Amino acid sequence: MADSLGDPGARPGRLKVFLGAAPGVGKTYRMLDEGRRRTARGKEVVVAFAEGHSRPRTDALLEGLDVMPRTTRTHRGLELTELDLDAVLERRPEVALVDELAHTNVPGGRNAKRWQDVEELLAAGIDVVTTVNIQHLESLNDVVEKITGVQQRETVPDKFVRRAHEIELVDMPPEGLRRRMAHGNIYPPEKIDAALSHYFRIGNLTALRELALLWVAGRVDEALQSYRYEHGIGGVWETRERVVVAITGGPESEALIRRAARIVARSSGGDLLAVHIARSDGLVDASPAALAGQRQLVESLGGTYHSVVGDHVPTALMEFARAENATQLVIGTRVRGWLLGSLTIRGAGETIVELSGDIDVHMVTHERAKRGRVPATPPNRLPLTRRVAGPVAGLALPVLLTMLLRGLSGHLDLNLTSDTLLFLLTVLGVACIGGVVSALLAAVTASLLMNYYFIPPIDRFTIDEANNVLALIAFAIVAATVAAVVDRSLRLGRQAAAAAAEAETLSSLASSILRGDKAVPALLERTRETFGMESVELSHDKGRMGHRAMGDGDTDSPYETRVPIGTDSVLVLRGRRLPASEHRVLTAFAAHLTAAVERARLAEVAAEVEPVKAADRMRTALLAAVSHDLRTPLAGCWAAVSSLRSRDVDFSREDREELLATAEESLAKLNRLVDNLLDMSRLQAGALNLRLEPTALAEVLPLALDALPEPAVPVVTQHLESTPQVLADPPLLERVLANLVANAVRNAPPGRPVTVSASTLALYVEVRVIDRGPGLRSADKERAFLPFQRLSDTDNTTGLGLGLALSRGLTEAMGGTLTPEDTPGGGLTMVVSLPAAPAPATEALA
C-alpha cells in the first residue's frame, strides 16, 4: 500500500470544488474542461474518477486526458468499479480530477466516503478538482428533503468543502435545465417524465438554486473575514454599505432607525443593523416593551436587531461595528446641561467620533435631545415599615451597643480596635434595614458615642492623641462607604430579581404563539392570571363591550386600572392596586393586545369586504361574457331554425340535415355553457355534493374523451393503467379531464398530439395534460383560472372562460390541486394532483 500520509514537509494539495445547484447543470463538464486547461499549461493532470453518464459532449472531453484505471470490487454479487486511491497516490500527479465527492465507496476499501479519499490525496500534496451538488452538503440535507421530498443519503461535511481554496458555483436557470432534461441531455428517455414530474419541478429547482447562492455568498463573507483576520486588517472594507444604528429603547430611537433605513435605501444592496448596548450587570435600563417595538420596526424595514453587553457604551458600540465591517454609524445627540457643558468632560457622542476611525458617524438631532434621558426603571423604594425602622435603628442600635460594652467592660478586656469593629458591624446592620440614609445616621451616632465613651479622655468629646482622631475619622469614612456599598448591593439585588421576574413573564408571553379568532380572549386571560386580577375586559368606544376574562371570585373591586389600547379601546383591570413597578410589564402586554386587536379588526373587515368584491367581480364578468358567449350559440340556432321554417326557399335533404346539425350543435354548446355556470355557482355557494371513492384513471379518461367533439389532434395516454387509483368523484373527475383535454386540443398545433400521463408522488397521483402549443406567459398562468377570463380574443368559440376555473374548483373540492407548468420545449402542461386511494385491507395485509 502506498504511503497515504505523504511527505511531512510537503505542501498540502489545493482543493477546487465545482458546486452544482442541481444534477445536470454541467459540473463534470466544467471539471474536465478545467483539467484540459491545466494540461495545456503544462501540469500533470490525471482523471482519477469521472462519471460521464453517457453524455456525448462530456465523454468527448475525456479524449486526450490521462484516465487512471479504476479498481473493481464485488458487492452483493455485483462487480462495481471505484476510484483506485493507492494507484493515484503511487502515481503522485500534480492534479487529480475526482468526480462525485459525496459518493459512498463500495465496502472493501480503506475509506467509507470518497471525500475521505480526496482528503488523503490532499495530504499527499496532490491538488484535487472535484464536484458536488448542493443537496449533498450536510447542513442542507434536511432542508433539501423538505423541498424535494427525496432523502439524500450521501452527504459531505460542510467544513470539508469550506476548506477548499476555490469554490465555483455551476448554475443554470430552472427552465433551461428542464429543457436539457427534455432533450435527453441528462437522463435516458425512460426517466425523463418521472424526473420532470418530481425532482426537476420548477419550484424545486428554484429553491435549490437559491440555497446554493446563499451558501456560496456565506462562504464568500467568511473568506473575506478570514483574510482580514489573517492579515491583521482592522479597517473597514466597503464591499457594501453596512449601516449600524445605536438604539437605547427611548422614544428617539424610532427616528434614528428610520434615518438609518433611508441611508441604506440610497445604497444598492446595503444592510441595516440595529444594536442595543445592555449593561453587564443584567439590569435593564430601557423599557422591554419599547425595545420590542423598535425591534419590530427594524425587522419590518429589512434590518436585523442585535443586543450587546458592555459597560462602556462607546467602546462596546465600536467593537460591534468593526466586527460587522460597518461603513456608517447612526447615533442620537444629547444636549448636556450648562454645568457639564462648561466642563471639559466629553460625552458619549464625542468619544464615539474619536474611536470611529474610518467609519462614518451620523449624529442625528431629535426633538427629545434637550430633555435628557428619563430612566425607564422607577426608583426601587423600601416598604414603609423599613423606612421607619431604619432611622430608629440608626439611633437605637449604637446606643444599645454602647450600653452593652460599658456593662461588660469589667468582664471583657476589649481595646479600641475591637470596639470600632463592633460599631462598624452595627452600621452595616442598619444599612441592611433602612438603607444608606439610616446607615449614615448610625455612623454619626456611633462616632459621637465612641468619642465620648471609648476614646480617652473618657466622658468628654475632646481627644488627646492625634492617632485616635485619625482612627475616628477613618471609622466614619469606612462606615459611610461600606454602608453605601451594602445599600447599593441590596438595591441592585432587588432590581435584578425584579428584572428576572419581568424577563420570565415577558418570555412566557412571547413563547405563547397566539393566532386566529381566539388571540384576544387568550391574551386577556393571560393578563388576568399574570397580574392576579379579578377581571380584565376590553372596552371599545361608545360603550360597546368587547372581550372579557373573569376569575372565580367577586368582581366588585374598588381598584381599577385603565390602559389605552389603540385609538378607540381601553384595557380595564379590576382587582388589586398595581404598583408602579408592574406597569412596565403591563405595557408590554398592552402592546401585544393592541396588535392582536388590530389583526382581528383587519380580518373582520377583509372578511366583510371580500365576498362583496368577489360578487361584484363575478357580476361584471358575467354580464360581459353573457353578452357575447351566450348570444353566439343562440344566434346560430335561431338562424338555422328560421331558415328551416322559411317558405321562400326549398332546401334539399342535405341542406336540411346540415341546418339541423347546426341547430343541434349550437344547443349543445348552449347547454354546456349553462351547466358550467350552474356548477360554478354551486362551487361558490358551497352546495356541490361530492361522493369520493377509489377511481381508476384508465376508466375515467375514455369517458371524458367520448364527451368531446372529434379532436383535431390525436390524444396519447401514458402510464394510466399502472397508476394507483385516486380518491375522487368519478363524474366530476371526468368533467375536469374533459375540460383540460379540450383546452389542450384547442391550443395544440396541427400534427402535435396531446399527451395525458400519470405518475405517483408520495401519497398523491399526478395527471399531466401536455400540449405543444404557444403556452402561457408567467403573468397569465394564474389569471387563466379566474372565471370569465379568456386570454385570447381572436377565438369566438372558447366559451365563457369557465373551463379552467371550473376544473380547478372541482379539483380542489375533491381535495386536490390544479397547477400549470411550462412544457419543456414549448407548450403548457396542466398538472392535476389528487390523493391516492387507500390500499384495500387484503392488499395492505399482504
Side-chain angles (χ1 to χ4, degrees):
M1 182 184 297
D3 180 14
S4 62
L5 296 178
D7 184 3
R11 170 188 71 85
R14 292 177 175 267
L15 177 64
K16 179 171 182 176
V17 177
F18 285 99
L19 179 65
V25 294
K27 304 178 304 299
T28 304
Y29 186 93
R30 296 285 292 275
M31 180 190 73
L32 296 176
D33 185 62
E34 176 76 10
R36 295 178 71 91
R37 290 193 295 107
R38 295 197 184 192
T39 300
R41 294 200 300 264
K43 294 285 186 179
E44 182 187 2
V45 179
V46 301
V47 180
F49 189 94
E51 187 60 70
H53 299 286
S54 301
R55 299 167 187 164
R57 296 185 60 190
T58 303
D59 292 338
L61 288 178
L62 288 170
E63 298 179 4
L65 291 176
D66 189 353
V67 181
M68 295 284 296
R70 304 181 184 181
T71 184
T72 303
R73 297 175 189 158
T74 303
H75 181 61
R76 295 181 179 178
L78 298 177
E79 295 289 334
L80 303 172
T81 61
E82 286 286 359
L83 164 68
D84 194 340
L85 177 60
D86 293 330
V88 179
L89 290 172
E90 184 178 357
R91 171 76 176 271
R92 290 187 180 277
E94 292 181 88
V95 182
L97 307 182
V98 182
D99 204 4
E100 297 183 353
L101 182 65
H103 173 74
T104 300
N105 293 331
V106 175
R110 188 160 60 250
N111 299 316
K113 299 287 187 176
R114 183 165 293 166
W115 67 265
Q116 295 171 325
D117 295 339
V118 171
E119 197 169 34
E120 288 197 30
L121 296 177
L122 295 173
I126 302 173
D127 292 346
V128 176
V129 181
T130 187
T131 66
V132 69
N133 281 330
I134 192 68
Q135 66 264 26
H136 293 299
L137 295 179
E138 182 68 41
S139 66
L140 301 178
N141 184 257
D142 57 338
V143 180
V144 173
E145 182 178 358
K146 291 179 181 178
I147 294 172
T148 63
V150 179
Q151 183 180 8
Q152 301 293 335
R153 301 186 181 276
E154 296 182 327
T155 59
V156 181
D158 288 58
K159 64 179 181 180
F160 180 79
V161 180
R162 288 187 184 277
R163 64 180 280 190
H165 287 76
E166 187 177 353
I167 298 178
E168 185 172 329
L169 179 63
V170 184
D171 188 20
M172 181 179 292
E175 294 80 4
L177 188 57
R178 286 172 58 87
R179 281 195 296 271
R180 287 196 64 197
M181 173 70 71
H183 294 160
N185 295 331
I186 300 178
Y187 290 163
E190 64 272 13
K191 295 183 178 180
I192 292 177
D193 286 340
L196 290 174
S197 304
H198 299 94
Y199 196 91
F200 283 79
R201 297 164 176 258
I202 291 289
N204 291 357
L205 297 177
T206 302
L208 292 175
R209 189 185 191 195
E210 184 173 352
L211 275 180
L213 292 171
L214 290 174
W215 192 91
V216 173
R219 199 264 180 182
V220 171
D221 281 345
E222 179 183 288
L224 178 61
Q225 295 293 344
S226 177
Y227 180 85
R228 296 177 68 227
Y229 174 78
E230 291 174 358
H231 292 77
I233 301 173
V236 175
W237 282 12
E238 298 184 12
T239 53
R240 58 179 172 179
E241 290 290 349
R242 297 176 69 86
V243 181
V244 172
V245 54
I247 62 177
T248 64
E252 79 285 351
S253 296
E254 294 187 4
L256 300 181
I257 293 170
R258 290 189 173 90
R259 173 63 64 87
R262 290 196 294 272
I263 295 174
V264 171
R266 288 195 292 266
S267 62
S268 178
D271 294 331
L272 172 63
L273 301 90
V275 58
H276 172 250
I277 308 298
R279 290 163 51 183
S280 60
D281 56 15
L283 302 177
V284 294
D285 59 350
S287 168
L291 286 176
Q294 290 162 17
R295 176 174 188 164
Q296 183 177 5
L297 175 60
V298 171
E299 293 174 349
S300 68
L301 294 173
T304 57
Y305 176 88
H306 307 267
S307 182
V308 176
V309 177
D311 290 325
H312 191 246
V313 173
T315 302
L317 182 59
M318 294 312 305
E319 288 177 353
F320 172 82
R322 295 193 184 281
E324 296 294 333
N325 196 29
T327 58
Q328 300 189 56
L329 178 62
V330 178
I331 61 175
T333 60
R334 287 183 61 193
V335 178
R336 296 180 290 169
W338 66 270
L339 179 58
L340 291 177
S342 62
L343 301 176
T344 58
I345 301 176
R346 292 178 303 174
E350 290 82 354
T351 306
I352 291 173
V353 172
E354 182 178 340
L355 297 176
S356 63
D358 48 4
I359 299 178
D360 297 337
V361 179
H362 301 264
M363 300 183 68
V364 180
T365 58
H366 50 86
E367 61 179 3
R368 294 184 176 266
K370 296 183 180 181
R371 304 182 188 180
R373 183 173 176 179
V374 179
T377 305
N380 195 346
R381 301 183 60 186
L382 294 171
L384 178 61
T385 55
R386 293 180 63 179
R387 294 203 303 269
V388 173
V392 174
L395 293 174
L397 289 182
V399 174
L400 293 176
L401 179 61
T402 301
M403 295 172 61
L404 179 63
L405 292 178
R406 295 280 290 181
L408 296 176
S409 60
H411 303 282
L412 297 177
D413 187 14
L414 300 177
N415 57 19
L416 181 60
T417 303
S418 299
D419 296 335
T420 303
L421 292 176
L422 291 174
F423 275 102
L424 183 60
L425 289 175
T426 303
V427 174
L428 294 181
V430 173
C432 294
I433 297 174
V436 67
V437 176
S438 300
L440 292 177
L441 179 60
V444 172
T445 305
S447 299
L448 295 175
L449 293 173
M450 287 178 60
N451 183 9
Y452 192 83
Y453 290 104
F454 299 99
I455 298 178
I458 304 300
D459 299 332
R460 295 176 59 186
F461 284 106
T462 58
I463 301 175
D464 292 339
E465 298 181 10
N467 61 335
N468 289 335
V469 176
L470 181 60
L472 185 60
I473 295 174
F475 166 77
I477 294 175
V478 170
T481 303
V482 173
V485 171
V486 171
D487 177 71
R488 176 173 172 78
S489 299
L490 292 175
R491 285 190 294 106
L492 293 181
R494 290 191 295 268
Q495 292 177 6
E502 288 183 9
E504 184 178 355
T505 302
L506 293 176
S507 176
S508 175
L509 175 65
S511 63
S512 58
I513 304 175
L514 302 172
R515 293 190 177 93
D517 297 335
K518 298 182 179 180
V520 175
L523 273 174
L524 290 177
E525 180 61 27
R526 173 63 65 87
T527 305
R528 189 193 66 79
E529 293 176 354
T530 301
F531 295 97
M533 291 294 173
E534 296 174 357
S535 69
V536 177
E537 67 182 36
L538 184 64
S539 298
H540 299 293
D541 59 345
K542 300 180 182 179
R544 293 186 294 114
M545 176 62 71
H547 300 280
R548 187 174 187 178
M550 298 179 58
D552 298 330
D554 184 14
T555 59
D556 296 331
S557 173
Y559 297 121
E560 187 177 279
T561 303
R562 291 176 171 264
V563 181
I565 299 294
T567 58
D568 58 356
S569 303
V570 176
L571 179 65
V572 182
L573 296 89
R574 294 188 178 90
R576 65 187 181 91
R577 186 192 298 272
L578 280 180
S581 58
E582 295 187 11
H583 276 272
R584 293 198 308 139
V585 182
L586 179 58
T587 303
F589 274 75
H592 282 269
L593 192 55
T594 301
V597 169
E598 184 65 17
R599 286 197 301 270
R601 186 185 66 80
L602 292 176
E604 291 178 1
V605 172
E608 294 174 358
V609 172
E610 188 57 35
V612 178
K613 292 172 59 179
D616 183 67
R617 289 194 301 266
M618 180 71 70
R619 182 167 52 253
T620 303
L622 178 62
L623 290 176
V626 167
S627 64
H628 178 271
D629 293 283
L630 290 181
R631 183 182 299 171
T632 301
L634 282 175
C637 182
W638 181 279
V641 173
S642 299
S643 299
L644 289 172
R645 294 192 62 186
S646 175
R647 300 177 182 271
D648 299 333
V649 181
D650 186 15
F651 293 102
S652 65
R653 180 180 180 84
E654 291 79 8
D655 292 337
R656 293 177 61 84
E657 291 293 334
E658 183 177 355
L659 289 172
L660 288 172
T662 300
E664 183 179 11
E665 181 181 352
S666 298
L667 289 174
K669 184 179 295 184
L670 184 62
N671 184 63
R672 287 196 299 271
L673 292 177
V674 173
D675 286 343
N676 284 341
L677 282 172
L678 292 175
D679 287 340
M680 182 60 66
S681 64
R682 292 194 196 99
L683 274 175
Q684 293 181 340
L688 188 66
N689 294 323
L690 293 176
R691 185 178 177 182
L692 301 181
E693 60 185 50
T695 305
L697 294 174
E699 298 176 1
V700 173
L701 184 61
L703 298 176
L705 297 179
D706 291 341
L708 298 177
E710 185 67 26
V713 296
V715 178
V716 180
T717 62
Q718 295 179 352
H719 313 304
L720 295 184
E721 294 79 4
S722 59
T723 305
Q725 293 182 331
V726 298
L727 196 61
D729 186 310
L732 297 186
L733 180 58
E734 179 185 333
R735 292 282 302 278
V736 171
L737 294 178
N739 284 339
L740 295 181
V741 172
N743 184 73
V745 169
R746 186 165 53 247
N747 292 288
R752 302 296 298 273
V754 170
T755 303
V756 181
S757 66
S759 61
T760 58
L761 177 64
L763 300 178
Y764 287 82
V765 174
E766 293 186 340
V767 182
R768 282 177 152 72
V769 181
I770 306 168
D771 69 64
R772 300 288 177 175
L776 287 178
R777 299 178 303 174
S778 298
D780 293 336
K781 286 181 179 178
E782 286 304 315
R783 192 163 66 90
F785 291 97
L786 297 177
F788 312 112
Q789 295 291 321
R790 292 180 301 177
L791 302 181
S792 175
D793 294 332
T794 59
D795 184 5
N796 291 333
T797 66
T798 56
L800 287 172
L802 285 175
L804 292 181
L806 183 61
S807 297
R808 171 172 279 188
L810 295 176
T811 303
E812 292 177 349
M814 293 185 289
T817 59
L818 174 59
T819 55
E821 292 181 357
D822 292 330
T823 303
L828 184 66
T829 299
M830 289 292 180
V831 183
V832 179
S833 179
L834 291 169
T842 55
E843 182 180 339
L845 292 175

